[in-house]
């Protein structure tokens, strides 16, 4: 019966037993074997009392329904109790719900299911293999009350078989007819050989063989029972019984194992309905030390095609683990492996390694896809477009300045610093392509170098210019002597020294932390593993980016301070006001950049937003400088060449005389207009000295 349950795939069954030795011991044996076999849990174990009432059977059905998933019910019960259970299931309208597994007390008998056939459909029963013993029918049918007086139970059998009454002490009702004694078995009543006749005969022969072997061993010289046999006792007799071996009445071998059990040989039946022959038992297999079951011959109630289930819990889906209910190994709750967990085994979920995520059905881990900022991404298209426009414009300005290198406007702009500034602007545009290119050691190295270099070159040149203007006018308040270090060579030296600080910082950065690429799995490790991505990027932190730009920002702020100090200078002197407007606008751009850059540090789109923000900010800074400082000059050079001519030369004497009179007038009034006069003196004097 345990093998049948396991073959059906059932792991959650109930047992019902008639109170008494047969039922209770049968259930105990089933439970013991099921524990040894493993994988079978007993939902309920119920007993049918001796003095039962119909309500007792109704209660048993209600209790069985409390564990509805345990549809399979193991029955060790008498015929009467089997009928009571089937009747109760009909009254509860549960015909077809329960899957009955009947012991050999049910076997293939019709009496337990008479007029209850619909409730028994699908029941699987067992019966020891038996054979009809030839000669026994003739012997038993010849038995009468006269020739079988030695059988003390025969009279009772006679009354039951012929439904009559023999004596006043009979248990039959007074209304029953009296037996005549002339009735004949098989003629006046229905007769069928009892299936256990074979086993009774074999049991008698087993005892006989045991006594014979015992007498032969203990009384070799005596033909009957000797004193040694009288004193042998039951244990010694049992030993001889378990040692017998002979061919039984059915021609099969009769032996016993160490537990005293004969070899199990059972036929398996199922009560089925057939449209042609009606209902009846059908052989579906056998058990001889192992189960041989023909599943295709089985039929189930309610027209079910597949084997019905009788399980406490349905199997967990793929990607779910079992959380076993304490004390019930066949019952569990299914819990999904969530997050970055995968199903390690039936009962365990494990976390994938940091660079992995669970596959679709969560049975294993797979690598997290690696991404980078692609050229075709909208986050890259806009900065690249702006950078290309800026590069074209920068090259155009540079070519124009080179072409008209000796014209007054180009010379008055300070050619050396103008070319340095244009170089810085060009590098500010170029960094866009490095920030979007696929990271590798080379790209990461160039990023470190050029990230702050373009801005550093630009603002170093502008700072040198504004500082020169400021020093000239500060010196002019004190004397007419020109300040030191205002020559083109000096200006280039100052600019180069400022730039060298940035390059020195980058060199130290290279030594302390060599450039490398990393895959950042934390940046886009979303709650949903399917959306998780590893970001391929250079090993540059947000803090390192700000530090790299920090020196350039310091130059920018210092330049802005000087621009504010020289804001009152007339427009025709050294671009003071355009530089001022350039620096104000640039400060606004970078003030907007900082909160956007750091405010998106926790965003899943951090890679895209920060890269785009940084590159656009640098593009705008370069564009502001290019537009305000160079475009007006290029416009004049190309569209109004008549304005790009040398002013009328004056003699040195006239220049000195005008300067002297202006200085005297300013000193007399003591007003700040001295500076205004000096503005015009310096350029004319400078040009005069250069040309004469």
């Amino acid at each position: 019966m345990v093998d049948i349950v396991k073959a059906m795939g059932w792991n959650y069954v109930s047992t019902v037993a008639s109170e008494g030795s047969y039922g209770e011991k049968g259930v105990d044996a089933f439970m013991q074997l099921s524990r040894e076999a493993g994988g079978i849990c007993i939902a309920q174990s119920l007993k049918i009392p001796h003095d039962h009432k119909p309500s007792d059977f109704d209660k048993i059905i209600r209790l069985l329904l409390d564990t509805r998933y345990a549809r399979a019910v193991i029955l060790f019960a008498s015929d009467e109790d089997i009928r009571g259970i089937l009747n109760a299931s009909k009254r509860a309208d549960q015909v077809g719900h329960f899957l009955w597994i009947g012991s050999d007390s049910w076997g293939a008998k019709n009496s337990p299911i008479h007029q209850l056939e619909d409730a028994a459909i699908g029941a699987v029963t067992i019966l020891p293999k038996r054979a009809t013993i030839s000669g026994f029918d003739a012997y038993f049918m010849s038995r009468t009350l006269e020739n079988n007086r030695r059988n003390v139970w025969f009279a009772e059998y006679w009354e039951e078989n012929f439904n009559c009454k023999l004596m006043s002490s009979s248990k039959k009702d007074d209304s029953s007819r009296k037996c005549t004694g002339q009735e004949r078995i098989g003629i006046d009543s229905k007769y069928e050989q009892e299936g256990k006749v074979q086993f009774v005969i074999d049991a008698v022969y087993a005892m006989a063989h045991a006594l014979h072997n015992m007498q032969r061993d203990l009384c070799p010289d005596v033909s009957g029972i000797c004193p040694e046999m009288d004193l042998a006792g039951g244990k010694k007799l049992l030993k001889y019984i378990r040692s017998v071996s002979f061919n039984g009445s059915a021609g099969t071998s009769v032996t016993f194992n160490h537990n005293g059990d004969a070899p199990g040989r059972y036929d398996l039946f199922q009560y089925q309905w057939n449209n042609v022959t009606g209902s009846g038992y059908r052989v579906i297999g056998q058990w001889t030390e192992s189960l041989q079951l023909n599943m295709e011959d089985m039929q189930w109630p309610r027209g079910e095609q597949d084997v019905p289930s009788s399980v406490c819990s349905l199997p967990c889906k793929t990607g779910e683990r079992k959380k076993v209910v304490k004390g019930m190994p066949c019952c569990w709750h299914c819990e999904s492996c969530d997050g970055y967990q995968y199903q390690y085994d039936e009962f365990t979920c494990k976390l994938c390694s940091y660079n992995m995520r669970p596959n679709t059905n969560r049975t294993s881990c797979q690598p997290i896809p690696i991404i980078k900022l692609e050229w075709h991404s909208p986050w890259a298209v806009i900065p690249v477009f702006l950078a290309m426009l800026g590069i074209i414009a920068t090259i155009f300005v540079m070519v124009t300045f080179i072409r008209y290198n000796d014209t007054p406007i180009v010379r008055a702009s300070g050619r050396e610093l103008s070319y340095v500034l244009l170089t810085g602007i060009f590098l500010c545009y170029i960094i866009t392509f490095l920030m979007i290119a696929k990271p590798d050691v080379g790209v990461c190295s160039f990023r470190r170098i050029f990230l702050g270099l373009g801005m550093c070159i630009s603002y170093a040149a502008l700072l040198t210019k504004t500082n020169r203007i400021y020093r000239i006018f500060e010196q002019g308040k004190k004397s007419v002597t020109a300040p030191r270090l205002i020559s083109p060579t000096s200006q280039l030296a100052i600019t180069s020294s400022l730039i060298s600080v940035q390059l020195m910082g980058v060199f130290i950065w290279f030594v302390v932390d060599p450039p490398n690429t990393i895959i950042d799995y934390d940046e886009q490790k979303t709650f949903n593993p399917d959306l998780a991505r590893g970001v391929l990027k250079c090993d540059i932190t947000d803090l390192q980016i700000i530090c790299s730009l920090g020196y350039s920002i310091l130059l920018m702020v210092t330049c802005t301070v000087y621009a504010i100090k020289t804001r009152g200078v007339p427009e025709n002197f050294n671009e003071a006001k355009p530089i001022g407007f350039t620096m104000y606008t640039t400060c606004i751009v970078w003030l907007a950049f900082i909160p956007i850059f750091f405010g998106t540090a926790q965003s899943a789109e951090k890679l895209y937003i920060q890269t785009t923000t940084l590159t656009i900010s640098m593009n705008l800074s370069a564009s502001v400088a290019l537009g305000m400082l160079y475009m007006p000059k290029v416009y004049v050079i190309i569209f109004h060449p008549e304005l790009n001519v040398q002013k009328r030369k004056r003699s040195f004497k006239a220049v000195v005389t005008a300067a002297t009179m202006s200085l005297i007038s300013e000193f007399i009034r003591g007003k700040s207009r001295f500076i205004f006069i000096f503005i015009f003196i310096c350029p004319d004097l400078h040009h005069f000295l250069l040309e004469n």
Side-chain angles (χ1 to χ4, degrees):
M1 295 174 80
V2 171
D3 286 348
I4 292 172
V5 169
K6 292 184 75 69
M8 298 297 180
W10 299 336
N11 65 9
Y12 197 49
V13 300
S14 296
T15 64
V16 176
S18 295
E19 199 171 50
S21 176
Y22 173 79
E24 293 180 33
K25 287 188 176 181
V27 165
D28 289 343
F30 177 85
M31 294 173 67
Q32 175 64 29
L33 289 172
S34 65
R35 280 192 294 269
E36 293 174 1
I40 299 177
C41 295
I42 306 301
Q44 297 190 71
S45 187
L46 307 175
K47 292 180 183 179
I48 304 170
H50 280 304
D51 52 344
H52 51 70
K53 302 181 290 294
S55 59
D56 293 326
F57 295 108
D58 294 333
K59 180 181 179 181
I60 288 173
I61 294 297
R62 285 197 304 272
L63 291 173
L64 291 175
L65 289 173
D66 287 342
T67 51
R68 292 191 65 87
Y69 292 119
R71 293 180 63 186
V73 180
I74 310 301
L75 281 175
F76 282 87
S78 64
D79 292 5
E80 183 181 1
D81 290 344
I82 294 171
R83 289 186 61 81
I85 289 290
L86 295 178
N87 252 320
S89 69
K90 288 191 69 172
R91 288 194 296 270
D93 195 24
Q94 295 297 322
V95 171
H97 173 76
F98 295 108
L99 308 169
W100 310 109
I101 308 295
S103 66
D104 57 351
S105 64
W106 184 336
K109 292 187 290 188
N110 289 314
S111 56
I113 60 173
H114 181 59
Q115 295 183 342
L116 296 170
E117 289 82 1
D118 54 341
I121 294 295
V124 177
T125 62
I126 65 172
L127 190 64
K129 276 185 174 292
R130 60 186 183 179
T132 301
I133 305 303
S134 59
F136 179 80
D137 292 343
Y139 164 79
F140 191 74
M141 290 170 67
S142 67
R143 298 300 90 193
T144 64
L145 292 173
E146 284 74 20
N147 62 17
N148 200 22
R149 294 182 182 275
R150 65 186 181 86
N151 189 338
V152 296
W153 296 287
F154 193 70
E156 184 178 349
Y157 166 78
W158 195 271
E159 287 182 327
E160 288 293 330
N161 189 45
F162 296 109
N163 195 23
C164 60
K165 186 176 180 180
L166 282 172
M167 58 196 80
S168 58
S169 60
S170 173
K171 295 180 181 179
K172 282 289 183 179
D173 297 335
D174 293 337
S175 59
S176 300
R177 67 180 183 86
K178 289 186 178 182
C179 300
T180 62
Q182 301 303 313
E183 296 89 355
R184 291 293 179 265
I185 298 172
I187 297 175
D188 299 316
S189 66
K190 187 177 180 181
Y191 168 76
E192 182 181 356
Q193 187 179 123
E194 167 59 47
K196 296 182 177 62
V197 169
Q198 168 195 347
F199 307 112
V200 174
I201 295 173
D202 289 343
V204 172
Y205 273 108
M207 180 64 75
H209 279 285
L211 289 171
H212 175 76
N213 294 337
M214 186 179 185
Q215 193 274 339
R216 185 187 59 195
D217 293 343
L218 299 181
C219 311
D221 300 325
V222 180
S223 59
I225 297 175
C226 62
E228 286 81 359
M229 284 186 68
D230 285 336
L231 300 174
K235 288 186 177 180
K236 182 165 284 191
L237 177 60
L238 180 59
K239 179 181 177 182
Y240 277 97
I241 292 175
R242 290 183 175 180
S243 300
V244 300
S245 177
F246 62 95
N247 286 331
S249 56
T252 56
S253 175
V254 177
T255 57
F256 300 96
N257 60 23
H258 65 281
N259 292 323
D261 296 323
R265 298 185 184 91
Y266 291 89
D267 285 321
L268 309 183
F269 298 89
Q270 187 181 43
Y271 195 74
Q272 299 180 353
W273 169 262
N274 188 292
N275 292 329
V276 178
T277 60
S279 58
Y281 292 99
R282 180 179 181 181
V283 176
I284 57 171
Q286 61 180 351
W287 192 95
T288 52
E289 300 301 331
S290 63
L291 182 66
Q292 299 166 18
L293 187 63
N294 301 319
M295 299 289 288
E296 62 276 6
D297 293 336
M298 301 187 75
Q299 184 185 97
W300 303 106
R302 298 178 177 176
E304 296 179 71
Q305 298 299 316
D306 299 324
V307 177
S309 65
S310 181
V311 294
C312 180
S313 303
L314 295 175
C316 292
K317 298 176 182 177
T318 303
E320 294 181 340
R321 75 177 186 94
K322 292 180 180 178
K323 187 177 181 181
V324 178
V325 177
K326 189 175 181 179
M328 291 294 287
C330 302
C331 301
W332 56 80
H333 302 296
C334 294
E335 292 185 349
S336 297
C337 297
D338 55 4
Y340 288 82
Q341 294 181 329
Y342 71 100
Q343 185 182 2
Y344 178 72
D345 57 29
E346 195 175 4
F347 304 97
T348 311
C349 292
K350 279 195 174 182
L351 195 65
C352 292
S353 58
Y354 76 99
N355 61 339
M356 306 285 277
R357 67 178 182 181
N359 59 9
T360 305
N361 56 13
R362 291 185 178 271
T363 55
S364 62
C365 294
Q366 61 185 12
I368 294 176
I370 308 302
I371 63 166
K372 65 176 187 66
L373 185 56
E374 301 292 344
W375 292 102
H376 56 76
S377 168
W379 297 98
V381 169
I382 295 175
V384 168
F385 178 72
L386 294 176
M388 291 180 68
L389 290 179
I391 289 172
I392 293 171
T394 303
I395 293 174
F396 176 74
V397 170
M398 194 173 291
V399 169
T400 301
F401 265 52
I402 293 172
R403 170 69 179 80
Y404 298 95
N405 188 56
D406 291 324
T407 59
I409 286 181
V410 176
R411 294 174 63 190
S413 300
R415 288 175 293 185
E416 296 78 6
L417 288 183
S418 291
Y419 291 130
V420 171
L421 179 56
L422 284 170
T423 302
I425 291 173
F426 182 81
L427 293 179
C428 286
Y429 288 122
I430 288 295
I431 192 63
T432 297
F433 299 93
L434 291 174
M435 295 300 293
I436 297 174
K438 182 179 179 180
D440 55 36
V441 175
V443 170
C444 293
S445 300
F446 282 116
R447 279 189 191 180
R448 290 191 180 190
I449 295 171
F450 293 110
L451 181 61
L453 185 60
M455 289 178 59
C456 178
I457 293 174
S458 300
Y459 298 129
L462 287 175
L463 176 59
T464 304
K465 277 192 174 188
T466 54
N467 175 263
R468 175 175 177 271
I469 297 170
Y470 176 75
R471 287 188 297 112
I472 288 173
F473 286 101
E474 284 297 305
Q475 181 72 18
K477 292 179 182 179
K478 302 172 184 178
S479 68
V480 294
T481 306
R484 293 186 308 163
L485 304 176
I486 62 172
S487 66
T489 303
S490 300
Q491 297 293 292
L492 286 175
I494 294 171
T495 303
S496 299
S497 63
L498 293 174
I499 296 171
S500 66
V501 175
Q502 173 76 17
L503 293 175
M504 181 63 67
V506 172
F507 176 76
I508 295 172
W509 188 9
F510 268 77
V511 173
V512 174
D513 183 17
N516 197 9
T517 59
I518 60 169
I519 300 175
D520 188 347
Y521 291 98
D522 295 327
E523 184 173 313
Q524 293 200 27
K525 203 156 197 176
T526 56
F527 181 78
N528 182 358
D530 294 337
L531 302 178
R533 298 292 184 270
V535 180
L536 176 64
K537 61 182 184 179
C538 292
D539 188 12
I540 304 176
T541 64
D542 294 348
L543 181 60
Q544 289 172 334
I545 290 176
I546 295 302
C547 289
S548 179
L549 297 174
Y551 179 65
S552 300
I553 293 174
L554 177 62
L555 294 177
M556 179 183 69
V557 172
T558 307
C559 186
T560 304
V561 171
Y562 278 115
I564 293 172
K565 288 185 176 183
T566 59
R567 65 186 181 277
V569 176
E571 295 180 6
N572 64 342
F573 186 82
N574 278 350
E575 318 162 293
K577 285 188 177 179
I579 291 176
F581 286 126
T582 299
M583 299 318 302
Y584 307 150
T585 308
T586 303
C587 287
I588 293 172
V589 169
W590 286 98
L591 283 174
F593 160 78
I594 292 174
I596 295 174
F597 187 84
F598 287 101
T600 57
Q602 304 302 321
S603 171
E605 303 291 334
K606 173 184 174 182
L607 168 69
Y608 309 117
I609 296 175
Q610 289 191 342
T611 303
T612 302
T613 303
L614 178 61
T615 52
I616 287 181
S617 296
M618 299 191 75
N619 287 338
L620 289 177
S621 299
S623 299
V624 167
L626 188 67
M628 291 190 174
L629 297 179
Y630 291 99
M631 286 307 172
K633 297 174 183 178
V634 172
Y635 176 78
V636 171
I637 291 172
I638 295 176
F639 296 104
H640 295 283
E642 70 277 4
L643 300 179
N644 188 18
V645 295
Q646 183 82 25
K647 296 257 180 152
R648 180 180 60 85
K649 293 182 181 179
R650 289 187 289 177
S651 67
F652 179 72
K653 180 179 180 180
V655 172
V656 173
T657 301
T660 303
M661 295 302 295
S662 298
L663 287 171
I664 293 171
S665 176
E666 184 62 35
F667 280 121
I668 292 172
R669 287 196 297 267
K671 297 181 181 178
S672 61
R673 291 182 61 85
F674 158 77
I675 299 174
F676 182 77
I677 297 169
F678 188 78
I679 291 171
F680 291 96
I681 293 173
C682 283
D684 290 342
L685 181 59
H686 177 66
H687 288 305
F688 177 80
L689 293 173
L690 287 174
E691 296 174 7
N692 299 279

